[in-house]
Amino acid sequence: MNLRKIRNLGLFLLLIPLSFHAEDGSQLWLRFPNAKGGLAKEKIVSKGNSKTLQIAKTELTNYWQGQAIELKIDNKLSSLKDGYTIKTSGNKIVVSAAKESGLLYGVYHLLRLQETKSNLSQLNITEKPSYDVRILNHWDNLNGTVERGYAGRSLWKWEDLPNKISPRYEAYARANASVGINAVVLNNVNASPNILKKNYIDKVKVMADIFRAYGIKVYLSVNFSSPKVIDGLENSDPLNKDVQNWWKDKAAEIYKTIPDFGGFLVKANSEGEPGPQDYGRTHADGANMMAKVLKPYGGLIMWRAFVYSPSSDDRAKQAYLEFKPLDGQFDDNVIIQIKNGPIDFQPREVFSPLFGALKKTPEMVEFQLTQEYLGHSNHLVYLAPMFKENLDSDTFSDGKGSTIAKLTDGTLRPAKVTAISAVANIGEDTNWTGHHFAQANWYAFGRLAWNHQLSSEQIADEWIKQTFTSEANFLKPVKEIMLTSRETTVDYMMPLGLHHIFAGVHHYGPEPWGNYENTRADWSPYYYHKADVNGIGFDRSSKGSNASSQYSSPLKEMYNDVETTPENMILWFHRVPWTYKMKNGKNLWENMAYQYDNGVKNVRQYQILWDKMEPYVDEERFKHIQSRLKIQSKDAVWWKDACLLYFQTFSKMPIPYDIERPVHELEDLKKIKLNMGHHN
Amino acid sequence: MNLRKIRNLGLFLLLIPLSFHAEDGSQLWLRFPNAKGGLAKEKIVSKGNSKTLQIAKTELTNYWQGQAIELKIDNKLSSLKDGYTIKTSGNKIVVSAAKESGLLYGVYHLLRLQETKSNLSQLNITEKPSYDVRILNHWDNLNGTVERGYAGRSLWKWEDLPNKISPRYEAYARANASVGINAVVLNNVNASPNILKKNYIDKVKVMADIFRAYGIKVYLSVNFSSPKVIDGLENSDPLNKDVQNWWKDKAAEIYKTIPDFGGFLVKANSEGEPGPQDYGRTHADGANMMAKVLKPYGGLIMWRAFVYSPSSDDRAKQAYLEFKPLDGQFDDNVIIQIKNGPIDFQPREVFSPLFGALKKTPEMVEFQLTQEYLGHSNHLVYLAPMFKENLDSDTFSDGKGSTIAKLTDGTLRPAKVTAISAVANIGEDTNWTGHHFAQANWYAFGRLAWNHQLSSEQIADEWIKQTFTSEANFLKPVKEIMLTSRETTVDYMMPLGLHHIFAGVHHYGPEPWGNYENTRADWSPYYYHKADVNGIGFDRSSKGSNASSQYSSPLKEMYNDVETTPENMILWFHRVPWTYKMKNGKNLWENMAYQYDNGVKNVRQYQILWDKMEPYVDEERFKHIQSRLKIQSKDAVWWKDACLLYFQTFSKMPIPYDIERPVHELEDLKKIKLNMGHHN
């Protein structure tokens, strides 16, 4: 095969088995190390030859080691939406779906079963996704940087598009399809108006064309001031006819170019972004104006609830305060995108009180895969348990059992469209996500978006087997690392409900002492912990900000009382004396110290476990992960020392003597200024 | 008391109780925290009013809380040399000695008993020092720097002398007297010829005058090229009459100025210093030439055996090879000063084979208090156990029981004069030694020079009680730290006989990978460990350099055989395969790993023990020591990681999995270049 021929393969190049690749992580969980030629073409039965079907068939001819396969469109299965059935029928397996993308998902399901060494006999599978829209939000800027990106610069080469096309666009789409992700917001929520200019829409079209074959729709983040900025309109007031027409024309232009365009994601009146409130209008006014122009094309508006102003009221309350009064005022193709917690993707947050509070407005969760607050791409933190914790949280909004999952997936509140989103952790790094284990978070989001009832353990199991090996000696300890890693990170970063005590701007290391002048109070760590000699924590009870009252009963009563608040959230809701007696009989200060120490110990244990894995993993990934764990281990000590030494200046109590002592000086730690921005 | 009056107090200013001092370590072990006015003058019986007696009496009137004291010169006690007796007689205590300095030592003995809460009733003490000359070698340069000094710049303010006199000269002399040190070499063995110029002799005289009252004689390091450099003689050949006369005149000049001048310390033909070999003469020719000019005045020549040339022969053998043939050729006022080990003050060395090998030549030990190879003033390392290990080493030179102590103190070989020396760890830091606990090494050297049969434990006990407190809760753990600290340091730096794998020039951190081009082989760490895939260690058996043969039987046979060599010295004498089975059943590599890990664990344990001491110690010293222990703890991990990661590239075996994993990358550690010289 000569080079020219390889180039001519174009779209499907990435589907050729890549066994000659180094183990650099570029293949993600789609490695197929044991595939020795796949299924003979003749053994695939299918009608039609669409791109999607071609992809499905090529995956089978490349990798499927089993019996004959039939791929069958079956309109009777439309109630499964993107879902499918897989059934053994005689000596073949029949994959059926109402949509071609469903067939592709079915093929990936089969390959997953094969790679995880599952039983492939007598299959009788029916799959229906938990959410209609399973979307990744890329915070990629048009200049190639990625806000909160830790895996290199943007995968999107805007300057090369629409002419030069990176083969990674397709590899990316394939990875998404393999886990059921069917939507992508290409650009940062802090959106440049330029994305809506004609030349950018032409670039977006190229990607949409590639993604479409993998069942993926393209969405864009839009800047609310676009009409004014791009075309010099007097303003961008949503009640201004000219503005409305501008958006109408823009929608027409987009849909002419990209007929299946997904819709807009909007960050408005948040952290300095423009929005309807600039003109005295509400979020509903703004969202509905856009919703109306997309409606004829079936487009969606995902309107972010991440709003907080430098007001004197508790930041954790503000999204609720702004959006609750607007309940029922949004058009039916608007969906409110709510971060899992009321602050901002902290290692642990209580769920946002907006979930369930909007009775007549569709809601969706926004998770964050990129580890803005979780050690960037240096720390191994498997996020499925955090996502599950949120989705399984019972809000009691509609009575007992009103979990966020059931509120957002249509179970409790029939919805026109359901959705779930996560901020992507993907960049141009060869291994896509910076840390090899961060791939698992991409994988886990996709899998949970497809089926939120999967356990964290099952997802980890699948991912490990496909990405590394099914060898039991590897599987068990690595799963142990993954499943405990999020709690470990909470322990060494901010246990007991502590939150947002990160160093400014970059959010990498600890800065509990941060209390900046000349800026809004809620941009200082002090705002969140308020430690002094009397105690520590944010009083969100009725004696304080009363944020607890934003929850439904019995949660509002539970959170209002320090004695009934779960201890892992105690400092989120209460200001607690250092000597407060915890359930284990130790006081608050001691508990804090033991939790920090536990975090450090666990990371060290991960190092040991990982080092033992050397015989089971290629040298390249072994060393890369070993090296990141060293950083995590040092960082855990840094966090522990910084927080314990700083808080000790108030608690005035010794660190319990069975705990390893600090090795840093508080004053030295205060001097650390990392040369990091907030994007890569 | 006005300021003028304070200034007029002159010599005795430092004897005023300094209870108003911060606990900054400036008072050393002479704190007397409970002294509420001392003995009434009338209760002191003594004849004469020499400066020495005045000092003794002032110490009593300031600090002695007990009964009346008589200080009595008794010439019948001359066999005790600097010693004394202390006897209770009726309702008073009689201190008797042949010399006034003996009475002063007796007074410090009493105060020590008081401060250590010893039984003061019915005293019947007879003390005679182990060595006649108990000398500190200062490696202080005339420009104020201190070679291998880690406690600030030099205490000696040469530029201010002879006019301006620091009060610390007397405080220094008093500290020495309090532990029995009676001699001082003021300047670096790498000596500037200028020290012998008239203006410097005048400066030295001032110090000699201060020190004299405390029983201390001044010595000087001299540069062998002085005649040529200072007065332009054609050469400095010791057989040149002009040279001999120059030294004769110089001696006359010195003794006219300082009648009790002690003598010269000489580093000749060593590390580039000039010496008799420059003219084809021997060390004996050089030493004797000088000895003859000092002889009329009772002066001593301390001639250093620390010689090694860039020859192909094992550095550890060279001092023996050069000096053994000269045995019997030295004048009787020459004493050969031999470093404890054959290399250079390593954390652990076998004793120098020169001890005992020179049958007809007086020998003295040179220890090093300044922690050139022991973590400078950052690491807490109590050196008494190392000194004892050396002094108690049986050389078998004169049959069983020929310990270095007995060989050098006159027991086995009647000597005209006996001596013991240590390189000082003192600088202008307020606390004198950089690390508060380094004061203990100064203290321990003095006490061992006085009585080498004292145990390390007893000395630590005395020092802790005087320097901190007698509180049992403090005494026991701090003693545990001190007594184990040297072995701990060996563990985390270079266990199993490893040596000199320090980073070049500054000798602070690890650099086992050091293998420098364009310099002599024995200035590279590789020379000392020779690690490769086959094993590690320096073969000094008969199959290798045969350094083992320089020891007396049965040591030479014992060291020649890997099976009988003590395991803590195994890599000093042998090249050992990584898989070599040690006595505990583990292989060499595993043993190495466990020892490094043990070192780290112990330092962390010291941190815990020290933190528990907070209630028993002033905040100032508590924090200072706590801070240094943090550094030591981090450095221990640095050493462990550097050595294990580097040697692992050869052993090819995993670090045992019950050991905490490295947190550094070998390549990062290799890049560390500390901005440190070899002097302060």
Side-chain angles (χ1 to χ4, degrees):
Chain A
M1 192 185 288
N2 64 28
L3 261 176
R4 172 190 289 262
K5 210 165 169 191
I6 290 176
R7 280 208 203 90
N8 286 345
L9 284 174
L11 191 66
F12 301 110
L13 179 63
L14 265 282
L15 298 178
I16 294 168
L18 296 173
S19 55
F20 55 88
H21 260 210
E23 288 289 12
D24 52 15
S26 61
Q27 295 175 277
L28 295 159
W29 48 86
L30 297 163
R31 290 171 61 251
F32 306 103
N34 304 312
K36 305 173 200 72
L39 190 63
K41 269 189 191 169
E42 313 82 66
K43 294 198 167 180
I44 305 176
V45 178
S46 86
K47 284 182 194 158
N49 198 26
S50 69
K51 281 186 181 173
T52 304
L53 274 176
Q54 281 181 52
I55 293 165
K57 289 189 275 187
T58 307
E59 296 284 14
L60 291 171
T61 55
N62 280 336
Y63 304 116
W64 178 246
Q65 311 293 303
Q67 64 219 89
I69 304 274
E70 180 177 351
L71 302 177
K72 195 167 120 188
I73 291 291
D74 181 350
N75 291 323
K76 294 195 300 294
L77 298 178
S78 61
S79 66
L80 296 182
K81 299 186 172 181
D82 287 345
Y84 49 87
T85 62
I86 302 176
K87 294 181 194 291
T88 303
S89 170
N91 58 359
K92 71 177 177 187
I93 295 171
V94 182
V95 182
S96 308
K99 298 175 171 183
E100 288 185 337
S101 58
L103 295 178
L104 181 59
Y105 293 141
V107 166
Y108 284 120
H109 191 133
L110 277 172
L111 291 170
R112 179 164 60 243
L113 292 177
Q114 171 183 288
E115 295 303 302
T116 55
K117 320 253 189 249
S118 307
N119 187 348
L120 290 167
S121 64
Q122 296 307 318
L123 297 171
N124 186 6
I125 295 165
T126 301
E127 288 277 328
K128 179 188 173 185
S130 299
Y131 295 95
D132 301 333
V133 181
R134 306 173 293 278
I135 190 165
L136 281 182
N137 295 355
H138 286 262
W139 284 358
D140 295 26
N141 297 312
L142 302 186
N143 65 3
T145 61
V146 182
E147 182 155 334
R148 310 300 178 185
Y150 315 107
R153 288 168 61 88
S154 175
L155 203 55
W156 321 135
K157 302 298 159 201
W158 294 106
E159 68 281 16
D160 294 342
L161 288 164
N163 300 316
K164 198 172 153 196
I165 299 168
S166 162
R168 297 192 76 183
Y169 300 159
E170 186 176 353
Y172 163 83
R174 176 181 176 235
N176 276 341
S178 76
V179 292
I181 292 168
N182 70 345
V184 176
V185 181
L186 287 176
N187 61 319
N188 192 356
V189 286
N190 294 318
S192 165
N194 290 337
I195 192 69
L196 291 182
K197 285 187 176 168
K198 166 105 181 59
N199 62 329
Y200 272 97
I201 293 171
D202 289 342
K203 294 169 194 270
V204 171
K205 172 190 158 50
V206 172
M207 298 216 268
D209 289 345
I210 296 169
F211 295 173
R212 186 176 298 110
Y214 289 88
I216 298 166
K217 280 190 182 176
V218 164
Y219 291 65
L220 292 176
S221 294
V222 295
N223 185 300
F224 203 82
S225 283
S226 296
K228 187 176 169 192
V229 176
I230 295 181
D231 284 316
L233 269 65
E234 198 182 347
N235 57 42
S236 297
D237 182 348
L239 301 198
N240 176 345
K241 280 281 168 203
D242 292 342
V243 168
Q244 293 168 1
N245 286 329
W246 186 92
W247 283 106
K248 205 168 169 182
D249 294 346
K250 185 54 71 179
E253 179 189 351
I254 293 172
Y255 278 93
K256 191 176 163 200
T257 317
I258 308 164
D260 57 351
F261 179 74
F264 295 151
L265 172 63
V266 191
K267 174 176 182 180
N269 294 122
S270 166
E271 296 183 324
E273 292 297 330
Q277 294 175 341
D278 302 348
Y279 309 100
R281 318 303 179 192
T282 68
H283 285 288
D285 293 331
N288 293 343
M289 179 272 290
M290 288 187 175
K292 282 177 179 53
V293 305
L294 295 196
K295 178 97 177 175
Y297 309 100
L300 261 184
I301 300 297
M302 294 171 170
W303 194 270
R304 290 175 98 230
F306 179 66
V307 296
Y308 63 107
S309 55
S311 75
S312 61
D313 210 343
D314 179 3
R315 172 172 169 182
K317 292 168 64 183
Q318 296 189 33
Y320 180 100
L321 292 174
E322 280 201 44
F323 280 83
K324 175 73 177 161
L326 303 175
D327 191 18
Q329 298 181 22
F330 291 96
D331 284 8
D332 67 357
N333 61 330
V334 175
I335 186 163
I336 304 301
Q337 180 167 312
I338 305 166
K339 290 187 181 184
N340 56 298
I343 299 288
D344 192 13
F345 301 135
Q346 298 303 293
R348 166 164 278 125
E349 294 194 39
V350 65
F351 68 86
S352 167
L354 262 182
F355 289 114
L358 300 183
K359 306 285 183 192
K360 294 170 277 182
T361 308
E363 298 177 332
M364 64 185 285
V365 182
E366 177 180 343
F367 290 126
Q368 190 182 45
L369 305 179
T370 192
Q371 292 168 227
E372 174 179 356
Y373 295 102
L374 286 152
H376 296 186
S377 53
N378 285 334
H379 294 202
L380 190 169
V381 192
Y382 175 55
L383 297 175
M386 177 195 261
F387 302 157
K388 293 284 290 182
E389 180 174 294
N390 182 262
L391 292 170
D392 294 344
S393 292
D394 192 344
T395 68
F396 292 88
S397 63
D398 302 14
K400 186 162 164 55
S402 306
T403 63
I404 291 174
K406 287 184 186 168
L407 283 166
T408 55
D409 74 355
T411 307
L412 291 173
R413 300 182 183 175
K416 201 171 154 231
V417 64
T418 62
I420 188 167
S421 69
V423 182
N425 60 352
I426 297 157
E428 67 172 357
D429 276 4
T430 302
N431 72 7
W432 300 89
T433 54
H435 197 305
H436 286 283
F437 273 83
Q439 297 179 355
N441 295 328
W442 179 6
Y443 183 90
F445 169 68
R447 296 289 289 135
L448 283 173
W450 183 271
N451 180 359
H452 58 53
Q453 301 199 314
L454 291 172
S455 70
S456 300
E457 196 270 346
Q458 183 177 338
I459 296 169
D461 189 275
E462 286 178 7
W463 178 80
I464 296 167
K465 284 173 172 168
Q466 296 172 85
T467 309
F468 290 101
T469 171
S470 299
E471 170 73 52
N473 289 336
F474 184 88
L475 190 60
K476 189 169 171 290
V478 172
K479 216 189 286 180
E480 180 188 326
I481 293 174
M482 289 175 70
L483 290 173
T484 58
S485 61
R486 185 268 185 139
E487 209 61 52
T488 291
T489 306
V490 169
D491 276 352
Y492 66 68
M493 281 187 179
M494 32 201 107
L496 299 170
L498 284 174
H499 52 289
H500 223 314
I501 57 177
F502 293 94
V505 189
H506 52 68
H507 299 162
Y508 187 74
E511 194 177 313
W513 48 83
N515 195 4
Y516 320 125
E517 289 178 8
N518 306 320
T519 187
R520 32 196 293 194
D522 58 2
W523 284 355
S524 280
Y526 172 77
Y527 175 88
Y528 298 97
H529 65 71
K530 296 185 168 54
D532 66 17
V533 292
N534 299 313
I536 181 172
F538 198 124
D539 188 353
R540 295 191 165 109
S541 76
S542 54
K543 300 191 301 290
S545 80
N546 207 18
S548 58
S549 70
Q550 293 184 335
Y551 292 88
S552 298
S553 289
L555 297 182
K556 69 168 74 181
E557 294 78 13
M558 181 176 90
Y559 292 144
N560 193 44
D561 183 347
V562 66
E563 292 295 330
T564 54
T565 300
E567 289 188 342
N568 66 11
M569 269 294 130
I570 194 166
L571 302 181
W572 183 282
F573 282 110
H574 300 281
R575 193 158 162 65
V576 184
W578 294 106
T579 51
Y580 177 81
K581 195 171 232 186
M582 307 281 280
K583 296 191 172 49
N584 63 10
K586 297 191 171 78
N587 69 33
L588 176 75
W589 163 250
E590 290 163 346
N591 266 269
M592 184 181 286
Y594 282 113
Q595 291 214 239
Y596 275 105
D597 189 57
N598 194 53
V600 169
K601 280 184 177 147
N602 282 358
V603 180
R604 288 187 183 153
Q605 183 59 21
Y606 299 163
Q607 289 189 279
I608 288 177
L609 289 173
W610 183 252
D611 277 5
K612 286 184 180 172
M613 295 304 101
E614 191 164 8
Y616 308 105
V617 61
D618 52 281
E619 189 185 0
E620 195 171 352
R621 287 186 295 173
F622 172 77
K623 291 218 159 140
H624 189 271
I625 292 159
Q626 183 189 51
S627 171
R628 297 294 167 113
L629 281 170
K630 288 178 179 180
I631 297 171
Q632 189 170 4
S633 191
K634 276 186 290 191
D635 286 353
V637 172
W638 176 23
W639 272 98
K640 171 187 167 226
D641 284 7
C643 296
L644 291 185
L645 288 172
Y646 176 68
F647 291 133
Q648 190 181 32
T649 65
F650 305 115
S651 84
K652 315 271 190 200
M653 282 182 274
I655 296 167
Y657 292 114
D658 49 352
I659 288 179
E660 192 175 302
R661 314 319 280 171
V663 293
H664 299 98
E665 296 294 340
L666 181 56
E667 293 312 308
D668 293 339
L669 295 176
K670 285 183 177 178
K671 283 180 209 136
I672 293 175
K673 299 287 172 216
L674 296 180
N675 184 20
M676 284 181 175
H678 55 76
H679 58 65
N680 209 326
Chain B
M1 192 185 291
N2 65 29
L3 260 177
R4 172 189 290 264
K5 207 162 172 195
I6 288 178
R7 280 210 203 86
N8 286 344
L9 283 172
L11 191 66
F12 300 112
L13 179 61
L14 265 283
L15 298 179
I16 294 169
L18 297 173
S19 53
F20 53 88
H21 261 210
E23 288 289 11
D24 52 16
S26 61
Q27 295 175 277
L28 295 159
W29 47 87
L30 296 163
R31 290 171 59 252
F32 305 104
N34 304 311
K36 304 172 200 70
L39 190 64
K41 268 189 190 167
E42 314 81 67
K43 293 200 169 178
I44 304 175
V45 178
S46 84
K47 285 182 192 158
N49 199 25
S50 70
K51 282 186 179 171
T52 304
L53 274 176
Q54 282 181 52
I55 293 165
K57 288 190 276 187
T58 308
E59 295 284 15
L60 292 171
T61 55
N62 280 336
Y63 304 116
W64 179 245
Q65 310 294 304
Q67 65 218 92
I69 303 275
E70 180 176 354
L71 302 175
K72 193 167 122 186
I73 290 292
D74 182 351
N75 291 322
K76 294 194 302 294
L77 296 180
S78 62
S79 66
L80 296 181
K81 300 185 170 181
D82 286 348
Y84 50 86
T85 62
I86 302 176
K87 292 179 196 289
T88 303
S89 172
N91 57 0
K92 70 178 177 184
I93 295 170
V94 182
V95 182
S96 308
K99 299 172 169 185
E100 289 185 335
S101 58
L103 295 178
L104 182 58
Y105 293 142
V107 165
Y108 285 120
H109 190 134
L110 276 172
L111 290 171
R112 180 163 59 240
L113 292 177
Q114 169 183 288
E115 295 303 303
T116 56
K117 321 257 190 238
S118 308
N119 186 348
L120 289 166
S121 67
Q122 296 308 317
L123 296 172
N124 187 5
I125 294 165
T126 301
E127 286 278 329
K128 181 188 171 185
S130 298
Y131 295 96
D132 301 331
V133 181
R134 305 170 296 277
I135 190 165
L136 281 182
N137 296 352
H138 286 262
W139 285 359
D140 294 26
N141 297 313
L142 303 186
N143 65 3
T145 61
V146 182
E147 182 156 335
R148 310 300 177 184
Y150 314 107
R153 287 169 60 89
S154 175
L155 203 54
W156 322 135
K157 302 298 160 201
W158 292 106
E159 68 279 17
D160 294 343
L161 287 164
N163 299 318
K164 196 172 153 196
I165 298 168
S166 162
R168 297 191 76 183
Y169 301 157
E170 185 177 353
Y172 164 83
R174 175 180 177 238
N176 275 342
S178 75
V179 292
I181 291 168
N182 70 345
V184 177
V185 182
L186 288 175
N187 61 321
N188 191 356
V189 287
N190 295 318
S192 163
N194 291 338
I195 192 68
L196 290 181
K197 285 185 175 168
K198 167 107 181 55
N199 63 326
Y200 272 96
I201 293 171
D202 289 343
K203 295 168 193 272
V204 171
K205 172 190 157 49
V206 172
M207 298 218 267
D209 288 345
I210 295 169
F211 295 173
R212 187 176 296 112
Y214 289 88
I216 297 166
K217 281 189 182 178
V218 163
Y219 292 64
L220 293 175
S221 294
V222 296
N223 185 301
F224 203 81
S225 282
S226 297
K228 188 177 169 191
V229 175
I230 295 182
D231 284 318
L233 271 65
E234 197 182 349
N235 57 41
S236 296
D237 182 348
L239 301 198
N240 177 343
K241 278 283 168 203
D242 292 344
V243 169
Q244 292 168 3
N245 285 329
W246 186 90
W247 283 105
K248 206 167 166 180
D249 293 347
K250 185 54 70 180
E253 179 188 350
I254 293 170
Y255 278 94
K256 191 176 163 198
T257 317
I258 308 164
D260 57 351
F261 179 74
F264 295 150
L265 172 63
V266 191
K267 175 177 180 177
N269 295 121
S270 165
E271 297 183 321
E273 291 297 329
Q277 293 175 342
D278 302 346
Y279 310 100
R281 316 304 179 192
T282 69
H283 284 288
D285 294 331
N288 292 344
M289 178 274 287
M290 288 188 173
K292 281 177 180 55
V293 305
L294 295 196
K295 178 93 176 178
Y297 308 101
L300 262 183
I301 300 296
M302 294 171 171
W303 193 270
R304 289 175 100 230
F306 178 65
V307 296
Y308 63 107
S309 55
S311 75
S312 61
D313 211 343
D314 178 2
R315 172 172 169 183
K317 291 169 64 184
Q318 295 188 36
Y320 180 101
L321 291 174
E322 279 200 45
F323 279 83
K324 175 71 177 161
L326 302 175
D327 190 18
Q329 296 181 24
F330 290 95
D331 285 8
D332 67 357
N333 61 331
V334 176
I335 186 163
I336 305 300
Q337 181 168 311
I338 306 167
K339 289 187 180 183
N340 56 299
I343 299 288
D344 193 15
F345 300 134
Q346 297 303 294
R348 167 163 277 125
E349 295 194 38
V350 65
F351 67 85
S352 166
L354 261 181
F355 288 114
L358 300 182
K359 304 286 182 188
K360 293 169 280 182
T361 308
E363 298 176 334
M364 64 186 282
V365 183
E366 178 179 342
F367 290 126
Q368 190 182 45
L369 304 179
T370 192
Q371 292 169 227
E372 174 179 355
Y373 296 102
L374 287 152
H376 297 185
S377 52
N378 285 334
H379 294 202
L380 190 168
V381 193
Y382 175 54
L383 296 174
M386 176 195 260
F387 303 157
K388 293 284 289 183
E389 179 175 293
N390 182 262
L391 292 170
D392 293 344
S393 292
D394 193 344
T395 69
F396 291 91
S397 64
D398 302 15
K400 187 163 166 51
S402 306
T403 63
I404 291 173
K406 287 186 187 169
L407 283 166
T408 56
D409 74 355
T411 307
L412 290 173
R413 299 180 182 176
K416 203 173 154 234
V417 63
T418 62
I420 189 166
S421 68
V423 181
N425 59 351
I426 298 158
E428 67 172 359
D429 276 4
T430 302
N431 72 6
W432 302 89
T433 54
H435 196 305
H436 286 283
F437 273 84
Q439 297 179 355
N441 295 327
W442 179 6
Y443 183 89
F445 170 68
R447 295 290 289 134
L448 282 173
W450 183 273
N451 180 1
H452 59 53
Q453 301 200 315
L454 291 172
S455 70
S456 299
E457 196 269 346
Q458 184 176 337
I459 296 168
D461 189 276
E462 285 178 6
W463 178 80
I464 296 167
K465 285 174 173 168
Q466 295 171 86
T467 309
F468 290 100
T469 171
S470 299
E471 169 73 52
N473 289 336
F474 184 89
L475 191 60
K476 189 167 172 288
V478 172
K479 215 189 284 180
E480 180 188 326
I481 293 174
M482 289 176 72
L483 290 173
T484 57
S485 60
R486 184 271 184 134
E487 210 62 53
T488 291
T489 307
V490 169
D491 276 352
Y492 67 69
M493 281 188 178
M494 32 200 106
L496 300 170
L498 284 174
H499 52 289
H500 223 314
I501 57 176
F502 291 94
V505 188
H506 54 69
H507 299 161
Y508 187 74
E511 194 177 316
W513 48 82
N515 195 3
Y516 319 125
E517 288 176 11
N518 307 319
T519 187
R520 26 194 299 193
D522 58 3
W523 284 356
S524 280
Y526 172 77
Y527 176 88
Y528 299 96
H529 66 71
K530 296 183 168 58
D532 66 17
V533 292
N534 299 313
I536 181 172
F538 198 126
D539 188 352
R540 293 190 166 110
S541 76
S542 53
K543 298 189 304 288
S545 80
N546 208 18
S548 59
S549 70
Q550 292 182 337
Y551 292 88
S552 297
S553 290
L555 297 182
K556 68 167 72 181
E557 293 79 11
M558 182 178 89
Y559 291 145
N560 194 45
D561 183 350
V562 67
E563 292 294 331
T564 54
T565 301
E567 289 189 342
N568 67 11
M569 269 294 130
I570 195 167
L571 302 181
W572 183 283
F573 282 112
H574 300 281
R575 193 160 164 62
V576 184
W578 293 106
T579 53
Y580 177 82
K581 194 171 234 185
M582 306 282 280
K583 294 189 174 52
N584 62 10
K586 298 192 170 78
N587 69 33
L588 176 74
W589 163 251
E590 290 162 346
N591 265 270
M592 185 181 285
Y594 282 112
Q595 292 214 239
Y596 275 106
D597 189 56
N598 194 53
V600 169
K601 281 183 176 148
N602 283 357
V603 180
R604 289 189 182 152
Q605 183 58 22
Y606 298 164
Q607 288 188 277
I608 289 176
L609 289 173
W610 184 251
D611 277 5
K612 287 184 181 173
M613 297 304 99
E614 191 164 8
Y616 307 106
V617 61
D618 52 281
E619 189 185 2
E620 193 171 354
R621 288 187 294 174
F622 172 77
K623 291 218 159 140
H624 189 270
I625 292 160
Q626 183 189 49
S627 171
R628 297 295 167 113
L629 282 170
K630 290 177 179 179
I631 299 171
Q632 188 170 5
S633 192
K634 276 187 289 192
D635 285 352
V637 172
W638 175 23
W639 272 98
K640 171 188 167 224
D641 284 7
C643 295
L644 291 185
L645 288 172
Y646 176 69
F647 291 134
Q648 190 181 32
T649 65
F650 305 116
S651 84
K652 313 273 190 200
M653 282 182 274
I655 296 167
Y657 292 114
D658 50 352
I659 287 178
E660 191 175 302
R661 314 322 280 172
V663 292
H664 299 97
E665 297 294 339
L666 181 57
E667 293 312 309
D668 292 340
L669 295 176
K670 284 184 177 178
K671 283 181 210 135
I672 293 175
K673 300 288 173 215
L674 296 180
N675 185 21
M676 284 181 174
H678 54 75
H679 58 68
N680 208 327

